[in-house]
Short mmCIF file of all heavy atoms in Angstrom, two decimals:
data_model
loop_
_atom_site.label_atom_id
_atom_site.label_comp_id
_atom_site.label_asym_id
_atom_site.label_seq_id
_atom_site.Cartn_x
_atom_site.Cartn_y
_atom_site.Cartn_z
N ASP A 263 8.89 14.29 -15.56
CA ASP A 263 9.28 13.76 -16.87
C ASP A 263 10.03 12.43 -16.73
O ASP A 263 11.17 12.28 -17.17
CB ASP A 263 10.12 14.77 -17.64
CG ASP A 263 11.41 15.17 -16.91
OD1 ASP A 263 11.48 14.95 -15.68
OD2 ASP A 263 12.33 15.68 -17.56
N GLY A 264 9.35 11.45 -16.14
CA GLY A 264 9.96 10.14 -15.94
C GLY A 264 10.32 9.46 -17.25
O GLY A 264 11.24 8.63 -17.30
N SER A 265 9.61 9.80 -18.35
CA SER A 265 9.87 9.18 -19.64
C SER A 265 11.25 9.52 -20.18
O SER A 265 11.72 8.89 -21.14
CB SER A 265 8.81 9.61 -20.65
OG SER A 265 8.78 11.02 -20.80
N LYS A 266 11.91 10.50 -19.60
CA LYS A 266 13.27 10.85 -20.04
C LYS A 266 14.26 9.74 -19.69
O LYS A 266 15.30 9.60 -20.33
CB LYS A 266 13.70 12.17 -19.37
CG LYS A 266 15.07 12.67 -19.81
CD LYS A 266 15.31 14.10 -19.35
CE LYS A 266 15.51 14.18 -17.85
NZ LYS A 266 15.91 15.54 -17.42
N ARG A 267 13.92 8.95 -18.67
CA ARG A 267 14.83 7.90 -18.22
C ARG A 267 14.27 6.49 -18.39
O ARG A 267 15.02 5.56 -18.59
CB ARG A 267 15.18 8.12 -16.74
CG ARG A 267 16.06 9.33 -16.51
CD ARG A 267 16.27 9.58 -15.02
NE ARG A 267 17.25 10.64 -14.81
CZ ARG A 267 16.97 11.94 -14.88
NH1 ARG A 267 15.72 12.32 -15.16
NH2 ARG A 267 17.91 12.84 -14.69
N SER A 268 12.95 6.34 -18.26
CA SER A 268 12.39 4.99 -18.24
C SER A 268 10.94 5.01 -18.72
O SER A 268 10.24 6.03 -18.60
CB SER A 268 12.46 4.41 -16.82
OG SER A 268 11.79 3.18 -16.73
N ALA A 269 10.49 3.86 -19.21
CA ALA A 269 9.09 3.72 -19.60
C ALA A 269 8.22 3.27 -18.43
O ALA A 269 7.01 3.16 -18.58
CB ALA A 269 8.97 2.71 -20.75
N HIS A 270 8.82 2.98 -17.29
CA HIS A 270 8.04 2.61 -16.11
C HIS A 270 7.24 3.82 -15.62
O HIS A 270 7.68 4.96 -15.75
CB HIS A 270 8.96 2.12 -14.99
CG HIS A 270 9.68 0.83 -15.32
ND1 HIS A 270 9.01 -0.35 -15.51
CD2 HIS A 270 10.99 0.56 -15.49
CE1 HIS A 270 9.87 -1.31 -15.78
NE2 HIS A 270 11.10 -0.79 -15.78
N GLY A 271 6.09 3.54 -15.03
CA GLY A 271 5.24 4.62 -14.53
C GLY A 271 4.93 4.47 -13.06
O GLY A 271 4.96 3.37 -12.51
N ASN A 272 4.61 5.61 -12.41
CA ASN A 272 4.30 5.57 -10.98
C ASN A 272 3.70 6.90 -10.57
O ASN A 272 3.62 7.85 -11.36
CB ASN A 272 5.59 5.31 -10.18
CG ASN A 272 5.28 4.67 -8.83
OD1 ASN A 272 4.13 4.59 -8.42
ND2 ASN A 272 6.31 4.22 -8.14
N ALA A 273 3.26 6.96 -9.33
CA ALA A 273 2.82 8.20 -8.70
C ALA A 273 3.23 8.13 -7.24
O ALA A 273 3.32 7.05 -6.67
CB ALA A 273 1.30 8.35 -8.81
N TYR A 274 3.52 9.29 -6.64
CA TYR A 274 3.98 9.25 -5.26
C TYR A 274 3.77 10.59 -4.58
O TYR A 274 3.57 11.63 -5.23
CB TYR A 274 5.46 8.85 -5.19
CG TYR A 274 6.43 9.86 -5.77
CD1 TYR A 274 6.99 10.86 -4.98
CD2 TYR A 274 6.80 9.81 -7.12
CE1 TYR A 274 7.88 11.78 -5.50
CE2 TYR A 274 7.70 10.72 -7.65
CZ TYR A 274 8.23 11.71 -6.84
OH TYR A 274 9.11 12.63 -7.36
N PHE A 275 3.81 10.55 -3.25
CA PHE A 275 3.87 11.75 -2.44
C PHE A 275 5.32 12.09 -2.15
O PHE A 275 6.17 11.19 -2.04
CB PHE A 275 3.19 11.55 -1.08
CG PHE A 275 1.69 11.55 -1.14
CD1 PHE A 275 0.97 10.49 -0.65
CD2 PHE A 275 1.02 12.62 -1.69
CE1 PHE A 275 -0.41 10.49 -0.69
CE2 PHE A 275 -0.36 12.64 -1.74
CZ PHE A 275 -1.07 11.57 -1.25
N SER A 276 5.60 13.33 -2.02
CA SER A 276 6.91 13.73 -1.52
C SER A 276 6.70 14.89 -0.57
O SER A 276 5.65 15.55 -0.57
CB SER A 276 7.86 14.13 -2.66
OG SER A 276 7.36 15.27 -3.34
N GLY A 277 7.70 15.15 0.25
CA GLY A 277 7.58 16.25 1.20
C GLY A 277 7.03 15.78 2.53
O GLY A 277 6.71 14.61 2.74
N PHE A 278 6.91 16.75 3.42
CA PHE A 278 6.50 16.44 4.80
C PHE A 278 5.80 17.65 5.37
O PHE A 278 6.15 18.80 5.05
CB PHE A 278 7.74 16.07 5.62
CG PHE A 278 7.41 15.53 6.99
CD1 PHE A 278 6.83 14.29 7.14
CD2 PHE A 278 7.70 16.27 8.13
CE1 PHE A 278 6.53 13.77 8.39
CE2 PHE A 278 7.40 15.77 9.39
CZ PHE A 278 6.82 14.52 9.52
N GLY A 279 4.80 17.42 6.21
CA GLY A 279 4.08 18.52 6.81
C GLY A 279 3.37 19.36 5.76
O GLY A 279 2.68 18.86 4.89
N ALA A 280 3.58 20.67 5.82
CA ALA A 280 2.93 21.58 4.89
C ALA A 280 3.58 21.58 3.52
O ALA A 280 3.10 22.26 2.60
CB ALA A 280 2.94 23.01 5.46
N ASN A 281 4.64 20.83 3.35
CA ASN A 281 5.40 20.84 2.11
C ASN A 281 5.06 19.65 1.21
O ASN A 281 5.80 19.32 0.29
CB ASN A 281 6.91 20.81 2.42
CG ASN A 281 7.74 21.33 1.27
OD1 ASN A 281 7.34 22.25 0.57
ND2 ASN A 281 8.89 20.73 1.06
N LYS A 282 3.91 19.01 1.44
CA LYS A 282 3.55 17.80 0.70
C LYS A 282 3.23 18.12 -0.75
O LYS A 282 2.53 19.10 -1.05
CB LYS A 282 2.37 17.12 1.37
CG LYS A 282 2.63 16.61 2.78
CD LYS A 282 1.47 15.83 3.32
CE LYS A 282 0.23 16.69 3.48
NZ LYS A 282 0.34 17.69 4.54
N ARG A 283 3.73 17.27 -1.65
CA ARG A 283 3.44 17.38 -3.07
C ARG A 283 2.91 16.04 -3.58
O ARG A 283 3.28 14.99 -3.07
CB ARG A 283 4.71 17.70 -3.87
CG ARG A 283 5.20 19.13 -3.75
CD ARG A 283 6.42 19.30 -4.64
NE ARG A 283 6.75 20.70 -4.86
CZ ARG A 283 7.54 21.13 -5.82
NH1 ARG A 283 8.10 20.26 -6.66
NH2 ARG A 283 7.78 22.41 -5.98
N ILE A 284 2.10 16.10 -4.61
CA ILE A 284 1.66 14.90 -5.31
C ILE A 284 2.31 14.92 -6.68
O ILE A 284 2.22 15.91 -7.41
CB ILE A 284 0.13 14.84 -5.43
CG1 ILE A 284 -0.51 14.76 -4.04
CG2 ILE A 284 -0.30 13.67 -6.30
CD1 ILE A 284 -2.01 14.91 -4.05
N VAL A 285 2.99 13.83 -7.01
CA VAL A 285 3.76 13.77 -8.26
C VAL A 285 3.30 12.57 -9.08
O VAL A 285 3.21 11.45 -8.56
CB VAL A 285 5.27 13.65 -7.98
CG1 VAL A 285 6.06 13.54 -9.29
CG2 VAL A 285 5.75 14.86 -7.18
N PHE A 286 3.01 12.83 -10.35
CA PHE A 286 2.67 11.77 -11.30
C PHE A 286 3.78 11.66 -12.34
O PHE A 286 4.25 12.67 -12.86
CB PHE A 286 1.36 12.08 -12.03
CG PHE A 286 0.16 12.22 -11.14
CD1 PHE A 286 -0.29 13.47 -10.75
CD2 PHE A 286 -0.53 11.11 -10.69
CE1 PHE A 286 -1.41 13.61 -9.94
CE2 PHE A 286 -1.65 11.23 -9.89
CZ PHE A 286 -2.08 12.49 -9.51
N PHE A 287 4.18 10.43 -12.66
CA PHE A 287 5.05 10.23 -13.81
C PHE A 287 4.23 10.52 -15.07
O PHE A 287 3.05 10.15 -15.16
CB PHE A 287 5.54 8.79 -13.87
CG PHE A 287 6.64 8.46 -12.91
CD1 PHE A 287 6.66 8.99 -11.62
CD2 PHE A 287 7.66 7.60 -13.27
CE1 PHE A 287 7.66 8.67 -10.73
CE2 PHE A 287 8.68 7.28 -12.40
CZ PHE A 287 8.67 7.81 -11.12
N ASP A 288 4.85 11.17 -16.06
CA ASP A 288 4.15 11.42 -17.31
C ASP A 288 3.74 10.12 -17.99
O ASP A 288 2.71 10.05 -18.67
CB ASP A 288 4.98 12.30 -18.24
CG ASP A 288 6.38 11.75 -18.50
OD1 ASP A 288 6.73 10.70 -17.93
OD2 ASP A 288 7.12 12.39 -19.27
N THR A 289 4.54 9.08 -17.80
CA THR A 289 4.21 7.78 -18.39
C THR A 289 2.93 7.20 -17.79
O THR A 289 2.16 6.52 -18.47
CB THR A 289 5.36 6.79 -18.16
OG1 THR A 289 5.80 6.88 -16.80
CG2 THR A 289 6.55 7.12 -19.06
N LEU A 290 2.67 7.48 -16.52
CA LEU A 290 1.45 6.99 -15.88
C LEU A 290 0.23 7.72 -16.43
O LEU A 290 -0.79 7.11 -16.76
CB LEU A 290 1.54 7.18 -14.36
CG LEU A 290 0.37 6.65 -13.55
CD1 LEU A 290 0.46 5.14 -13.43
CD2 LEU A 290 0.32 7.29 -12.17
N LEU A 291 0.33 9.05 -16.55
CA LEU A 291 -0.80 9.83 -17.03
C LEU A 291 -1.17 9.48 -18.47
O LEU A 291 -2.35 9.57 -18.85
CB LEU A 291 -0.47 11.33 -16.94
CG LEU A 291 -0.27 11.89 -15.52
CD1 LEU A 291 0.00 13.39 -15.59
CD2 LEU A 291 -1.49 11.62 -14.65
N SER A 292 -0.18 9.09 -19.26
CA SER A 292 -0.45 8.77 -20.66
C SER A 292 -1.16 7.44 -20.82
O SER A 292 -1.74 7.16 -21.87
CB SER A 292 0.86 8.76 -21.45
OG SER A 292 1.69 7.68 -21.04
N ARG A 293 -1.15 6.62 -19.79
CA ARG A 293 -1.69 5.26 -19.89
C ARG A 293 -3.04 5.08 -19.21
O ARG A 293 -3.89 4.35 -19.69
CB ARG A 293 -0.68 4.27 -19.28
CG ARG A 293 -1.12 2.83 -19.31
CD ARG A 293 -1.05 2.25 -20.71
NE ARG A 293 -1.18 0.79 -20.69
CZ ARG A 293 -2.28 0.13 -21.04
NH1 ARG A 293 -3.35 0.79 -21.47
NH2 ARG A 293 -2.31 -1.19 -20.99
N LEU A 294 -3.25 5.76 -18.08
CA LEU A 294 -4.45 5.54 -17.29
C LEU A 294 -5.55 6.53 -17.64
O LEU A 294 -5.29 7.67 -18.03
CB LEU A 294 -4.13 5.65 -15.79
CG LEU A 294 -3.11 4.68 -15.22
CD1 LEU A 294 -3.05 4.82 -13.70
CD2 LEU A 294 -3.40 3.24 -15.61
N GLU A 295 -6.79 6.08 -17.46
CA GLU A 295 -7.95 6.95 -17.61
C GLU A 295 -8.09 7.82 -16.36
O GLU A 295 -7.58 7.47 -15.28
CB GLU A 295 -9.21 6.11 -17.80
CG GLU A 295 -9.20 5.23 -19.04
CD GLU A 295 -9.15 6.06 -20.31
OE1 GLU A 295 -9.73 7.17 -20.33
OE2 GLU A 295 -8.52 5.60 -21.29
N PRO A 296 -8.81 8.97 -16.48
CA PRO A 296 -8.93 9.88 -15.32
C PRO A 296 -9.45 9.20 -14.07
O PRO A 296 -8.94 9.44 -12.97
CB PRO A 296 -9.91 10.95 -15.84
CG PRO A 296 -9.68 10.97 -17.31
CD PRO A 296 -9.41 9.55 -17.69
N GLN A 297 -10.46 8.34 -14.20
CA GLN A 297 -11.01 7.69 -13.01
C GLN A 297 -10.01 6.70 -12.41
O GLN A 297 -10.00 6.47 -11.19
CB GLN A 297 -12.33 6.99 -13.32
CG GLN A 297 -12.24 5.80 -14.26
CD GLN A 297 -12.32 6.19 -15.73
OE1 GLN A 297 -12.14 7.36 -16.07
NE2 GLN A 297 -12.60 5.23 -16.59
N GLU A 298 -9.15 6.12 -13.25
CA GLU A 298 -8.13 5.22 -12.74
C GLU A 298 -7.04 6.00 -12.01
O GLU A 298 -6.53 5.54 -10.97
CB GLU A 298 -7.53 4.42 -13.90
CG GLU A 298 -8.53 3.47 -14.55
CD GLU A 298 -8.01 2.86 -15.84
OE1 GLU A 298 -7.10 3.45 -16.46
OE2 GLU A 298 -8.51 1.78 -16.24
N ILE A 299 -6.67 7.15 -12.54
CA ILE A 299 -5.69 8.00 -11.86
C ILE A 299 -6.22 8.43 -10.51
O ILE A 299 -5.50 8.43 -9.50
CB ILE A 299 -5.36 9.23 -12.74
CG1 ILE A 299 -4.68 8.78 -14.03
CG2 ILE A 299 -4.48 10.21 -11.98
CD1 ILE A 299 -4.52 9.89 -15.05
N GLU A 300 -7.49 8.78 -10.46
CA GLU A 300 -8.12 9.17 -9.19
C GLU A 300 -8.06 8.02 -8.18
O GLU A 300 -7.76 8.23 -7.00
CB GLU A 300 -9.56 9.58 -9.43
CG GLU A 300 -10.28 10.02 -8.16
CD GLU A 300 -11.74 10.35 -8.42
OE1 GLU A 300 -12.29 9.89 -9.45
OE2 GLU A 300 -12.34 11.05 -7.59
N ALA A 301 -8.31 6.80 -8.65
CA ALA A 301 -8.28 5.64 -7.75
C ALA A 301 -6.88 5.38 -7.23
O ALA A 301 -6.69 5.06 -6.04
CB ALA A 301 -8.82 4.41 -8.48
#
Side-chain angles (χ1 to χ4, degrees):
D263 60 341
S265 59
K266 183 168 70 173
R267 290 174 173 82
S268 173
H270 294 296
N272 205 350
Y274 67 90
F275 284 125
S276 63
F278 189 69
N281 201 36
K282 297 185 296 291
R283 285 182 165 197
I284 297 171
V285 178
F286 299 99
F287 283 38
D288 54 358
T289 46
L290 183 77
L291 295 182
S292 67
R293 180 73 167 105
L294 300 187
E295 298 297 327
Q297 67 273 17
E298 294 170 337
I299 295 171
E300 181 183 20

